Amino acid sequence: MKKYFIITCFLFLMSFASQAQKFGYVDSEYILKKMPEYGDAQKEIDKLSIKYQQEIMTMHKSLDSLKRIYHNEVILYTEEMKKKKLQEIEEHQTKVYEFQNSIFGFEGRIFLKRQELIRPIQDRVHESIQIMARKHHLQMVFDKSGELLILYATETHDYTEFVLEELELGDKVDTIDNKR
């Protein structure tokens, strides 16, 4: 019985403490889309990605051609020639996959380019969120476009426009009350 009383008191205190805290959320995806430099960076990454995809497709066509030639002429090869041709195909296939991984894999060229171009933009947004949170005395700010699943939220707790204002991309909003 004493255990249940302690748990009940603890839950009551936690609910009371949480009422004193102020929470809000932003839509970082919406914020990023409003930033022209994000769109430019994304276009540059897409252009680079298409260029590399075309190179990889060319390499795959070359590999497919080697395989097709091998299968068409396999009956003409000696055992040693078969091994040599298969090894050549395998080496070419390894080169294709290594190149593909060096471009699109973790820590690949596209990943590094994205880090180079988008990371500073995300840092600006994050800094603006922190400044806005301090101005509005928020203890926590959630991102509704991220992994966190928000099933319901009133606009009262949406601070996206304040972040846009901080980034000088939106209209000036005096207080949360004037926003509604």
Side-chain angles (χ1 to χ4, degrees):
M1 182 71 172
K2 184 177 179 183
K3 184 178 177 181
Y4 292 112
F5 178 75
I6 291 172
I7 291 172
T8 305
C9 288
F10 177 73
L11 291 174
F12 177 76
L13 288 173
M14 290 302 291
S15 67
F16 180 72
S18 68
Q19 289 177 354
Q21 295 178 352
K22 195 169 174 191
F23 301 93
Y25 69 90
V26 297
D27 185 347
S28 65
E29 192 174 305
Y30 176 75
I31 293 167
L32 288 171
K33 286 179 182 176
K34 292 283 240 174
M35 300 178 76
E37 60 266 36
Y38 179 77
D40 295 343
Q42 197 61 48
K43 284 177 188 172
E44 187 174 335
I45 291 167
D46 291 345
K47 207 183 303 183
L48 191 61
S49 179
I50 289 168
K51 175 189 162 227
Y52 284 127
Q53 284 175 347
Q54 289 170 343
E55 283 184 49
I56 290 169
M57 284 181 67
T58 302
M59 293 173 81
H60 274 289
K61 285 179 184 177
S62 172
L63 177 62
D64 290 342
S65 175
L66 282 175
K67 288 179 180 180
R68 193 171 30 260
I69 290 170
Y70 174 80
H71 288 293
N72 289 340
E73 298 176 358
V74 70
I75 58 172
L76 304 174
Y77 297 149
T78 64
E79 285 302 313
E80 190 175 308
M81 289 173 71
K82 286 180 187 178
K83 287 180 184 178
K84 185 178 177 185
K85 291 290 182 179
L86 285 174
Q87 184 178 359
E88 186 180 316
I89 290 170
E90 192 175 303
E91 287 173 1
H92 192 80
Q93 188 169 354
T94 301
K95 285 180 184 175
V96 171
Y97 290 129
E98 285 176 354
F99 180 72
Q100 189 171 347
N101 194 39
S102 75
I103 301 300
F104 294 105
F106 182 70
E107 302 268 336
R109 292 181 191 169
I110 297 294
F111 176 84
L112 295 174
K113 191 64 167 180
R114 179 171 275 118
Q115 288 288 94
E116 173 191 330
L117 296 175
I118 294 181
R119 178 58 137 220
I121 298 167
Q122 289 173 327
D123 289 346
R124 271 187 57 214
V125 170
H126 183 71
E127 186 178 309
S128 296
I129 290 170
Q130 288 179 345
I131 291 168
M132 178 278 306
R134 284 188 213 107
K135 281 182 180 178
H136 295 278
H137 309 288
L138 300 175
Q139 282 74 37
M140 278 191 202
V141 177
F142 298 100
D143 183 1
K144 86 175 198 179
S145 65
E147 298 267 334
L148 176 67
L149 183 63
I150 297 177
L151 297 175
Y152 175 78
T154 63
E155 286 186 16
T156 306
H157 301 290
D158 186 355
Y159 288 82
T160 303
E161 293 298 323
F162 290 105
V163 176
L164 287 171
E165 176 188 331
E166 199 62 46
L167 289 165
E168 298 176 355
L169 294 171
D171 298 330
K172 178 128 175 70
V173 182
D174 291 328
T175 65
I176 195 78
D177 297 325
N178 287 349
K179 183 180 171 196
R180 308 293 167 237

